[in-house]
Amino acid sequence: MERDQLKSVLESLLFASEAPLTVSRIGEVLEGADKQEIAGLLEELKTEYEASGRGFRLAEVAGGFQMRTPKENAEWVKNLFRGRPARMSKATLETLAIIAYKQPVTRAEIEVIRGVDVDGVLSTLLERRLVRIVARKDVPGRPFLYGTTQEFLETFNLKDLSNLPTLKEMEEMTLPPENQDAANKETSSKE
Amino acid sequence: MSTSVKLEVFEGPLDLLLHLIKKNEVSITDIPIATITEQYLATLELMQSLSLDVAGEFLVMAATLIHIKSRMLLPPGEEEDEEEEGGDPREELMRRLLEYQRFKEAAEELEQREILKRDVFARRPEIPDEIEAGGFEGVSLFDLISALRQVLERFPEERVHEVTLERISVREKMSLLLDDLHRRGKVVFQSLFEAAASRLEIIVTFLAMLELVKIRAVRVLQEERDGPIVLELAAPLEDIQERMAQGKIEGEGDGA
């Protein structure tokens, strides 16, 4: 396939897809297309959308690529859907943060950190599919171990878990480098 | 009320302590334990006087603070407890506060990200017009309830108190649903609520649907875990109407 045509096809796939598309999935769809080339073209599209000021961007989330509206248009897009998305309470976010950084983690371990019971919050998170039970811990009582899900990555616009901001252990935040093209390709083609 | 008491909602004793530490502009690593304990207890009292439920965890922390405070008063080396000898009696608390603070900050960072359906939007899964038969699984009540929650999200908690409530009975809604299902064949769960004008109506519709499932007039199906929930008539409409007319169902006259 010609490069221009491939780019156009890629754009169509992204447009038609409901879930983030991984490079490997695109590879499957476009039998035989070169993954390196796909990854390169995706980056190109991403840059183009950003520069063009269009009403959509290409976001890298949950190991794949997805068309999303830019934040500055949120107000109006929200109006389109009436009602507001369920807000996440502080308790929910804190519990989610602990699970995200400490996974796999048991309920008791979360409770030690938060200093309060997390029963209700945990079931909310499970229900919203932001976390899931990943295994049982090999200790007496075999408690459940919790971890985050794909939905978590999608909801919080995270490429993968290593994309989480580093915990503020020392006073300074070490910001993850903005553009890791090489790393991106690696993660995407691993899928 | 004339007194305007602004009491923040604290996530727990650690949250309250962090708040007090920040308010007093002191450092976690060097907490003036007497001052903080005093303010902590005062806050608990305030919470109690407002009849807020003070969870047990808050009281445990109060005891811990008082214990630390008393140990701080002892000259070094004179602690009764051998185990606790040496070191700062505040150390354990300090460690917990630092750890909690890290995650509190991490939570704030999460909150500031571009959150899907709040800041950014992706194309929503289209509800397919026609859903192919076959391969469907039964749907649990849990699935239905979480689907209902999503539908209710469209309607924020009613802020305006409606005085004129439209009275729709579950029974009426059942008939409407049956007609709808008969006309449209397979219907996606969410679309049942499209015309609903209020939370009340959504709930009545939901109850009516459950009732129909219970009397086996309607089948609920789902193709995959996250797939759309679909409803269809489980028997010819006439049969169902006949059964209902004969009063073989419960839940009659349930007004809403």
Side-chain angles (χ1 to χ4, degrees):
Chain A
M1 214 186 291
E2 288 293 310
R3 197 182 141 85
D4 277 352
Q5 195 198 346
L6 181 57
K7 194 165 165 182
S8 158
V9 172
L10 274 182
E11 197 168 43
S12 297
L13 295 182
L14 291 164
F15 176 74
S17 174
E18 289 155 7
L21 271 180
T22 60
V23 172
S24 62
R25 178 81 186 103
I26 297 172
E28 275 169 41
V29 175
L30 310 172
E31 298 143 5
D34 180 40
K35 285 189 184 165
Q36 286 285 95
E37 195 178 9
I38 294 172
L41 285 170
L42 285 169
E43 283 304 323
E44 247 181 68
L45 286 173
K46 194 170 153 185
T47 324
E48 280 172 26
Y49 294 161
E50 234 137 88
S52 69
R54 303 304 295 247
F56 52 87
R57 298 288 135 86
L58 195 53
E60 256 186 287
V61 285
F65 290 78
Q66 187 176 41
M67 281 189 175
R68 291 185 167 192
T69 61
K71 193 178 176 180
E72 54 271 26
N73 294 350
E75 202 187 323
W76 292 276
V77 185
K78 243 181 272 186
N79 280 347
L80 179 68
F81 297 126
R82 286 202 276 170
R84 290 172 306 164
R87 266 187 54 82
M88 256 176 263
S89 68
K90 249 168 53 171
T92 313
L93 280 164
E94 277 177 26
T95 308
L96 190 55
I98 295 170
I99 296 173
Y101 284 93
K102 295 225 128 179
Q103 60 186 315
V105 65
T106 65
R107 199 186 70 194
E109 288 161 353
I110 304 168
E111 285 175 348
V112 167
I113 297 174
R114 288 203 62 227
V116 288
D117 174 277
V118 296
D119 237 5
V121 185
L122 209 46
S123 34
T124 310
L125 286 171
L126 284 167
E127 206 174 302
R128 294 174 76 166
R129 301 210 174 97
L130 292 170
V131 306
R132 66 194 176 97
I133 293 164
V134 288
R136 303 189 91 140
K137 194 169 182 170
D138 215 1
V139 294
R142 310 209 355 105
F144 288 130
L145 284 165
Y146 297 90
T148 52
T149 59
Q150 283 287 108
E151 277 93 334
F152 166 74
L153 296 175
E154 287 180 34
T155 304
F156 289 94
N157 198 22
L158 290 160
K159 198 164 75 184
D160 51 47
L161 283 175
S162 66
N163 222 218
L164 279 170
T166 323
L167 276 186
K168 254 186 224 168
E169 198 128 24
M170 292 120 234
E171 286 302 74
E172 273 163 14
M173 281 269 302
T174 28
L175 284 165
E178 273 302 319
N179 276 314
Q180 309 168 291
D181 283 286
N184 289 354
K185 278 167 199 163
E186 225 170 71
T187 4
S188 323
S189 52
K190 256 195 311 202
E191 275 283 322
Chain B
M1 276 223 296
S2 53
T3 39
S4 72
V5 183
K6 193 181 170 291
L7 188 64
E8 290 175 54
V9 179
F10 297 105
E11 293 301 325
L14 293 172
D15 196 27
L16 171 53
L17 275 180
L18 279 184
H19 168 81
L20 294 175
I21 287 165
K22 204 173 143 200
K23 208 179 79 185
N24 287 279
E25 293 177 354
V26 293
S27 159
I28 295 181
T29 52
D30 189 19
I31 305 168
I33 209 82
T35 322
I36 296 293
T37 304
E38 192 188 308
Q39 293 180 8
Y40 182 91
L41 295 174
T43 312
L44 288 204
E45 235 170 82
L46 178 62
M47 283 162 78
Q48 270 159 343
S49 70
L50 291 171
S51 344
L52 288 175
D53 209 7
V54 177
E57 294 99 355
F58 281 96
L59 304 175
V60 173
M61 181 58 77
T64 307
L65 286 172
I66 292 165
H67 181 64
I68 295 173
K69 188 176 145 192
S70 68
R71 286 185 54 213
M72 298 285 289
L73 295 172
L74 293 174
E78 280 185 32
E79 277 104 320
E80 293 161 33
D81 205 328
E82 284 287 318
E83 283 170 44
E84 292 178 7
E85 202 180 336
D88 193 326
R90 299 170 296 180
E91 202 175 304
E92 167 65 11
L93 180 65
M94 184 177 93
R95 198 193 52 74
R96 288 186 64 191
L97 282 170
L98 283 173
E99 175 152 55
Y100 176 67
Q101 191 184 38
R102 277 166 66 198
F103 288 105
K104 201 172 140 76
E105 281 166 7
E108 280 157 17
E109 300 233 2
L110 277 184
E111 225 254 319
Q112 278 161 27
R113 294 196 64 84
E114 294 192 346
I115 295 179
L116 190 61
K117 288 190 229 168
R118 185 191 71 180
D119 308 311
V120 294
F121 296 82
R123 280 164 35 75
R124 299 202 300 177
E126 279 303 318
I127 294 164
D129 287 336
E130 260 177 63
I131 291 140
E132 285 161 41
F136 282 103
E137 281 175 28
V139 182
S140 71
L141 183 61
F142 180 79
D143 291 327
L144 286 177
I145 287 172
S146 53
L148 175 70
R149 278 170 55 106
Q150 281 172 22
V151 172
L152 283 172
E153 275 169 21
R154 262 177 40 207
F155 288 91
E157 295 290 339
E158 245 116 80
R159 274 157 301 181
V160 188
H161 182 68
E162 262 179 72
V163 186
T164 49
L165 283 176
E166 211 186 328
R167 292 188 62 87
I168 320 156
S169 73
V170 174
R171 182 68 192 254
E172 263 174 320
K173 204 73 197 179
M174 283 165 72
S175 304
L176 289 173
L177 281 181
L178 283 176
D179 286 343
D180 205 21
L181 287 171
H182 178 65
R183 219 180 39 246
R184 292 161 64 191
K186 283 199 174 78
V187 169
V188 173
F189 177 83
Q190 277 80 3
S191 72
L192 294 179
F193 304 95
E194 265 160 15
S198 67
R199 289 173 78 91
L200 178 72
E201 195 177 341
I202 290 176
I203 288 162
V204 173
T205 309
F206 186 70
L207 291 176
M209 187 204 76
L210 286 185
E211 197 59 50
L212 288 171
V213 173
K214 194 171 130 199
I215 62 166
R216 298 182 193 285
V218 163
R219 251 198 302 269
V220 186
L221 308 153
Q222 190 176 30
E223 197 167 34
E224 52 192 288
R225 191 79 190 91
D226 293 323
I229 294 171
V230 180
L231 289 93
E232 64 178 4
L233 289 184
L237 182 64
E238 297 74 31
D239 293 0
I240 298 166
Q241 281 169 338
E242 201 176 317
R243 280 204 324 242
M244 283 172 68
Q246 285 167 7
K248 282 189 191 158
I249 55 154
E250 293 166 48
E252 275 173 281
D254 275 1

